[in-house]
Amino acid sequence: MIDQHLLDLHAQVENNIKNATNENGSGLGRLLQLDLDILAWEQCVLNRPEAAQLTAARRELGFAIYAASGGLYLHAYAGLRVFLELSFASVYFSANELFRRRWVADRIDFSWSKALHEADGVLAQSFVREFNEDAAKDAPPFATSAANAYRHCSQFIHGKMAVTTSLPGTMTFSSEVLTDWLKTAIEAARAVLFLLYARYGEELLQEGTFHVLAPSIEASFGHLKEVRKRLGLPIEMETL
């Protein structure tokens, strides 16, 4: 009886995944590509202590994508928030080794508000300028995107009726909810990708990894003038 109950749930998840790929395949494909782009950066920083948090963040994103596709929407929003927290923590730790050691030892907590602080956070212009001066002025919109995505996910986690009433009462597929989650997830992933570019781009693009990272940068941020200059692309984009 127990195994049949769980297998029935599994069958429903399988059916939801089929509906998700049929109706929201484009959004899922875009998000999966962003995940691969983040993977490229992860592979380039694996020798750094803070890479463990970025690896964990990508793992959570993968679980969240599965949950969202399978109709486990509340879990998908929760996983997306963990993805944001760990991604931003990894970059925060990259500039705060003592804090990272204390966090790993469970002697201190990571503060999302501190990581995204307008004046001192990892996407604050004052922070970005020290690692990638060209990216500093483009950082604020991505900080806003990350903050909005985090808050939206938090509303589901805290059971805010303004958002949870949109969730199905049973484990069934909802194209509307999946569309909302995908929009949030894509904005979150783009913010993380820009964060990695802002923190590591200046260094890694001069270390022989240009051919690995440049395509992901151009695909997501090719509209930004300073990015085009760094990649050696024409400053004025061609218009069709």
Side-chain angles (χ1 to χ4, degrees), residues 14-222:
E14 185 177 5
N15 186 61
N16 289 342
I17 290 174
K18 291 178 180 177
N19 287 327
T21 54
N22 285 335
E23 296 191 28
N24 300 82
S26 177
L28 285 167
R30 185 180 176 192
L31 180 58
L32 288 170
Q33 181 58 58
L34 286 167
D35 179 47
L36 289 175
D37 291 341
I38 295 171
L39 172 61
W41 288 85
E42 177 196 347
Q43 294 297 312
C44 291
V45 299
L46 280 179
N47 63 325
R48 303 168 189 252
E50 70 272 11
Q53 281 68 62
L54 185 57
T55 298
R58 280 197 58 253
R59 182 171 62 245
E60 292 302 322
L61 178 59
F63 288 142
I65 293 172
Y66 174 79
S69 302
L72 306 170
Y73 302 116
L74 187 61
H75 302 282
Y77 283 104
L80 184 58
R81 194 177 86 158
V82 176
F83 160 71
L84 275 169
E85 287 180 345
L86 289 173
S87 297
F88 276 71
S90 70
V91 171
Y92 185 83
F93 293 159
S94 75
N96 298 273
E97 174 61 16
L98 179 60
F99 192 100
R100 186 194 70 81
R101 287 174 177 265
R102 288 174 174 169
W103 182 83
V104 170
D106 198 23
R107 286 192 280 269
I108 197 169
D109 292 328
F110 173 72
S111 169
W112 170 258
S113 60
K114 181 180 290 187
L116 209 62
H117 192 275
E118 185 176 345
D120 303 312
V122 293
L123 277 179
Q125 288 181 301
S126 60
F127 181 95
V128 174
R129 188 176 297 115
E130 301 305 321
F131 297 97
N132 189 337
E133 188 170 359
D134 290 341
K137 69 176 182 297
D138 294 316
F142 293 99
T144 298
S145 291
N148 290 341
Y150 187 89
R151 182 180 183 278
H152 190 52
C153 291
S154 296
Q155 288 182 304
F156 285 92
I157 293 172
H158 297 312
K160 291 286 187 69
M161 291 191 64
V163 294
T164 56
T165 52
S166 66
L167 300 177
T170 58
M171 199 171 70
T172 54
F173 172 72
S174 170
S175 182
E176 292 78 11
V177 175
L178 181 55
T179 297
D180 176 77
W181 183 86
L182 281 169
K183 178 183 177 182
T184 306
I186 288 170
E187 287 302 301
R190 290 186 74 247
V192 168
L193 192 59
F194 181 85
L195 175 65
L196 296 173
Y197 165 68
R199 170 60 181 88
Y200 300 111
E202 181 80 19
E203 180 179 348
L204 292 179
L205 290 175
Q206 299 177 13
E207 289 188 350
T209 56
F210 183 91
H211 67 288
V212 175
L213 300 175
S216 73
I217 300 171
E218 182 180 359
S220 291
F221 313 120

